[in-house]
């Protein structure tokens, strides 16, 4: 059989439709609903997979077992691992007016690997009728919990939606692990979760059950948003990438941010195995343009360009921009998915009362130390 030259592969890649693998998040629905791909300069299609199926499918595409040219990557959570293994092709540097707080998730060791799609950071959403004046734009977790306690003391019960499903609970609890100076990892990626400060933070997170709706230990994104819109929940912490679902009812809500929050930028990356890398870069320039950003943000609620924040495109933009400035990323770590899965499992056990917060953090640290590089 005659060998296929690099030139022939490039020509073949230029002639076919590019395939994109995306995660099933409400923010991603903006691409099909706004007919973004139909107007792209390069023929393309997008497959959207549920969260629980997504990561294995992405890895199979890097290994050549699935045929995708472009995949979505959870920003700094996965970037180091994928870049170190040579799975990603470099991309163009983002436009100058990208929100500054998003750039960290796109670049690793001075190489740009990712192009932003939307971002998920912690946003407090509360019903405006709770207070005569808006809550502070920025609150510590301690101040947030004091407000919840005041609502409880006033006679309110079961008013808080918590994203405490096992698949969500680590990142949901993360601002509380940090509230007294603790954290899951230190800046060098070493696990430090068994410190007294981190244990106190998990204890505080578990105390939120006092205010919570029944069944909140199985709540994910959809359940939290539904509880807010159906007025079953008066308060929740949710992801910024869910806010577009508030739609015309956004005026019913106020928005605040935590001093200890976290954010990641869901982004597009080019599979280095693709035979159409130049065409992929052309497509990503289109997908990251301000015109596409504005249309996709109708669904995601997370405009990427600074020009959409002054004046604000949406009622939550002030809080959202502040969140990107305050959010603290997790450190770059190898085997991030495997390591963070330990936190998801142990924190879920503590929240359910099967083990104590101290036991959860001690067991997590012991298990994670065996996985350290």
């Amino acid at each position: 059989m005659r060998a296929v030259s690099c030139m022939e592969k490039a020509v073949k890649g230029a002639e076919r439709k590019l395939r994109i693998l995306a995660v099933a998040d409400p923010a991603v629905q903006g691409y099909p609903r706004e007919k973004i791909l139909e107007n792209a300069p390069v023929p393309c299609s997008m497959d959207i997979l549920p969260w629980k199926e997504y990561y294995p499918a992405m890895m199979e595409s890097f290994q050549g077992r699935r045929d995708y040219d472009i995949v979505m990557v959870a920003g700094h959570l996965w970037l180091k691992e994928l870049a170190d293994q040579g799975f990603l092709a470099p991309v163009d540097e983002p436009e100058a007016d990208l929100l500054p707080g998003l750039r960290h998730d796109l670049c690793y060791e001075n190489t740009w690997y990712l192009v932003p799609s939307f971002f998920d950071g912690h946003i407090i959403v509360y019903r405006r009728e709770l207070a005569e004046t808006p809550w502070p734009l920025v609150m510590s977790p301690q101040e947030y919990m004091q407000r919840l306690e005041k609502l409880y003391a006033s006679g309110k019960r079961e008013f808080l939606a918590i994203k405490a499903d096992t698949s969500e609970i680590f990142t949901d609890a993360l601002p509380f692990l940090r509230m007294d100076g603790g954290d899951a990892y230190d800046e060098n990626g070493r696990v430090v979760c068994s410190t007294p400060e981190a244990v106190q933070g998990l204890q505080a997170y578990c105390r939120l059950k006092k205010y919570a709706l029944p069944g909140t230990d199985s709540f994910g994104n959809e359940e939290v948003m539904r509880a807010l819109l159906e007025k079953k929940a008066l308060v929740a912490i949710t992801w910024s990438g869910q806010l577009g679902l508030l739609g015309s009812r956004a005026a019913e809500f106020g928005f605040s941010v935590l001093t200890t929050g976290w954010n990641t930028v869901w982004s597009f990356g080019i599979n280095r195995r693709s035979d159409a890398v130049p065409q992929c870069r052309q497509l990503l320039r289109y997908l990251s343009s301000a015109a596409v950003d504005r249309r996709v943000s109708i669904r995601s609620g997370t405009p990427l360009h600074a020009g959409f924040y002054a004046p604000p495109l949406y009622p939550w933009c002030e809080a959202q921009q502040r969140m990107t400035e305050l959010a603290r990323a997790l450190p770059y770590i190898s085997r991030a998915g495997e390591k963070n899965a330990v936190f998801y499992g142990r924190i879920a056990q503590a929240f359910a009362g099967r083990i104590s917060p101290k036991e959860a953090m001690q067991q997590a640290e012991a298990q994670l130390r065996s996985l350290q590089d």
Side-chain angles (χ1 to χ4, degrees), residues 237-275:
I237 295 176
T238 193
W239 295 130
S240 53
Q242 302 291 308
L243 297 181
L245 296 177
L246 296 176
S248 61
R249 296 180 57 187
E252 299 175 22
F253 300 93
F255 307 94
S256 299
V257 299
L258 292 168
T259 55
T260 55
W262 173 84
N263 182 50
T264 195
V265 185
W266 276 94
S267 307
F268 295 112
I270 301 174
N271 186 349
R272 193 180 284 273
R273 285 180 172 271
S274 173
D275 59 4

Side-chain angles (χ1 to χ4, degrees), residues 10 63 127 142 178 261 353:
Q63 294 156 3
R127 297 204 66 85
Q142 290 89 338
R178 295 170 164 177

Side-chain angles (χ1 to χ4, degrees), residues 220-239:
N221 289 322
E222 293 181 10
E223 291 81 6
V224 168
M225 185 55 65
R226 188 182 308 122
L228 286 167
L229 290 172
E230 293 178 355
K231 301 186 179 182
K232 293 177 180 177
L234 303 178
V235 186
I237 295 176
T238 193
W239 295 130

Side-chain angles (χ1 to χ4, degrees), residues 18-33 36-37 44-59 61-62 66-74 78 115-118 266-271 283-284 287 296:
L18 300 183
R19 298 187 66 210
I20 304 170
L21 179 65
V23 68
D25 188 281
V28 174
Q29 294 303 321
Y31 294 100
R33 292 192 179 214
I36 300 299
L37 302 185
C44 58
S45 64
M46 179 180 286
D47 291 342
I48 300 175
L49 294 187
W51 166 243
K52 292 180 180 179
E53 300 175 22
Y54 183 77
Y55 188 85
M58 178 189 72
M59 295 306 296
S61 73
F62 290 135
R66 292 194 184 220
D67 189 20
Y68 289 102
D69 301 280
I70 294 171
V71 299
M72 293 195 85
V73 174
W78 301 345
V115 171
S117 173
F118 68 96
W266 276 94
S267 307
F268 295 112
I270 301 174
N271 186 349
L283 176 58
L284 293 183
L287 293 179
V296 171

Side-chain angles (χ1 to χ4, degrees), residues 2 22 24 61 67 72 77 89 114 151 154 219 320 328 359:
R2 185 177 64 86
S61 73
D67 189 20
M72 293 195 85
L77 274 183
L114 300 177
L151 291 172
S154 73
F219 278 21
Q320 198 160 256
R328 289 163 48 197
E359 290 171 329

